[in-house]
Amino acid sequence: MGFFQKLKDKISNQTDQVTDKFKDGMSKTRDSFTSKVNDLVARYRKVDEEFFEDLEEVLISADVGVETVMTLIEELEMEVKRRNIQEPEAVKEVISEKLVDIYYDDDDESIETLNLNEDGLSVILTVGVNGVGKTTTIGKLAHRLKQEGKSVLLAAGDTFRAGAIDQLDVWGERTGIDVIKHNEGSDPAAVIYDGIQAAKSRDVDVLICDTAGRLQNKVNLMNELAKVKKVISREIDGAPHETLLVLDATTGQNALSQAKTFKDATDVSGIVLTKLDGTARGGIVLAIRHELDIPVKFVGLGEQVEDLQPFDAHQFVYGLFGDLIKNDSHE
Amino acid sequence: MAFEGLADRLQGTIKKITGKGKVSEQDVKEMTREVRLALLEADVNFKVVKDLIKRIKERAIGQDVLEGLNPGQQVIKVVKEELTDLMGGEQSKIAVANKPPTVIMMVGLQGAGKTTTTGKLANNLRKNYNRNPMLVAADVYRPAAINQLETLGKQLDMPVFSQGTDANPVDIAKQAIEQAKEDHRDYVIIDTAGRLHVDEGLMDELQQIKDTVNPDEIFLVVDAMTGQDAVNVAESFDDQLDISGVVLTKLDGDTRGGAALSIKAVTGKPIKFAGMGEKLDQLEAFHPDRMASRILGMGDVLSLIEKAETQVDEKKAKEMEQKMRDMSFTFEDFLEQMSQVRNMGPLDEIMNMMPGANKMKGMKNMQLDEKQIDHVEAIIQSMTKEERVDPNIMNASRKKRIAKGSGTSVAQVNRLLKQFNEMKKMMKQMMGGKKGKKKGGLNLPFM
């Protein structure tokens, strides 16, 4: 069975709604990427060195990163030789296969869901640099969990940025979820401590904690974040159950440095990739998963409250190659 | 995955071709390959990289090697010049309208830092140009964006024009300008909502605001960490709005910032300011030459040499060397040397220019504290001439006086005296050229 067939089978098992949402959200991404690959394939009559050089550029333009691209191209060249592929058309399939491979490595190829404490309070901590969309993601995530029937509480731990508390408050109103907050400029650890106490006494299922955006090279701010995490772990065994690093899909290679440093400080357990509804392709998550073993759990595909979708590498690649797969099935 | 700088990458190649009189085609090919990778790793758009490499090759091949440089450095020099050319000169001027108010429109993607930059820009206009800006909250979409600007307005004690979230941004902008005229405000800065460059509806809205208020400046605010997509974003905003300049934000992070080069290359518009922190006074003029070095991640030997040449008088340097040798180096000399080093620029920047400095043990996370240097300077300046020349005469009451005069403590004075003595010893060892004890390294009093 060809890889595209496998991919299609995988995806047909998903509910159509989710797949369409993902597909629509990523249409800008896919258009630019697919047309590039198609262009490339059309321009070459045989698979030669130049072909690979051009392919290298296509991948780099998706922010996959120089190092990962080099590895990928090397493996592709070997694979093409091994299977004795002459036609550029046939390489398309190998490319997507290898992309999924890089992401999963030897792991089980399943969708990674949130680690939640099934009986009792779960705490989700969100971290990231400035302007990636932490607060918006929390709003969407809270909505999602509420839809699933869980009771949710929010803690406004970004006490630094002007208007951040109000912003979370608006999301609380929209989703009908309470927000625990202090004044601007107060100690974030104290807010989150209060959030935990409130969550315990109200017996809610999930507490989501917002934190202020911080650049990963600010040592003091990263220490502050580690302290916040310590407070959470001290209050509840095994918490935070999930530490989500929010990454902006438009970010380039620096995302790798962000993932690394935030992982060191707070032991990040998953990534939310935001702003994937633009033309940015967020290819850096392949490298992050490959090198740091942090899975992407959700993607942000718009500004509406429903625009947060679980991430599935198959879908991600399907999003990039969707039109190619269609062409393939006509044959 | 190591975040290698170009200097490190090139080291091997440079070694191979050192000692040659001319730069050969093969040399250039090898070097440009490394340059290409370094630029791509720095997030410079691949098309921009391609053009650049082509030009570098054309210029570098067959060049005579300049005196004092090896062929490797020669190629780096060409690379640096091409990059600096592409980046253009320093341009941090803000337009002034013939008839006030001058109108500035801030545009960009979500999360780029428009609102914060709006506040910083207003602060800059008041502080450096003595202007009276008014801020306009035209982001009616993001929850609490108006509150954010209002909070910044309060911090700056500046008026913020807003009509809530139900008003139309075009109307808000229009009425804000009427209000500014009435209140005799000479600058109006309009904070617009973040939007995707492919969102036709919202891009149309910006176009309408532009047509209505006829801004003197349209600043595209871009996150310095942006990857390959920076060209698409910049191109779209520029095509649709004809932006007048760019503000690059979050440059205080550790990103190489290749987006700067991409944006400049596709739009030709100047990058005017750089956001260097979260505080409202942390907006700086953008320095294209520094950015070129940063993107390359090369210990910028050349510009360090250039800077040193202009700052350090060679004769003085000889004298200094002699003094170090015979240990007659005094606090007076030390003060002078410190001011020379400081004239070269901020200390951490100088450290960045030294190749390998970020590889030295402990250097990487060292945060150079300019304040500490201020203290050292203050302490020395509070000493009498006598004390500066012969610190041995120092006693408790002298130390007390110095501490008082410099606003420091006796303990700090003691520490400086001790470090100065150690430094003198160390210098003697280094100048004497004796190998042997290499313990600890040079412990300068301000590190």
Side-chain angles (χ1 to χ4, degrees), chain A residues 252-267:
Chain A
Q253 301 309 298
N254 194 252
L256 198 57
S257 151
Q258 289 171 25
K260 231 183 148 190
T261 318
F262 275 98
K263 191 185 182 191
D264 286 346
T266 58
D267 199 14

Side-chain angles (χ1 to χ4, degrees), chain B residues 411-426:
Chain B
Q412 270 170 298
V413 175
N414 275 332
R415 199 179 320 137
L416 177 65
L417 288 170
K418 201 175 150 212
Q419 282 172 334
F420 183 74
N421 267 332
E422 276 169 12
M423 189 179 86
K424 261 168 89 175
K425 274 186 222 153
M426 192 83 69

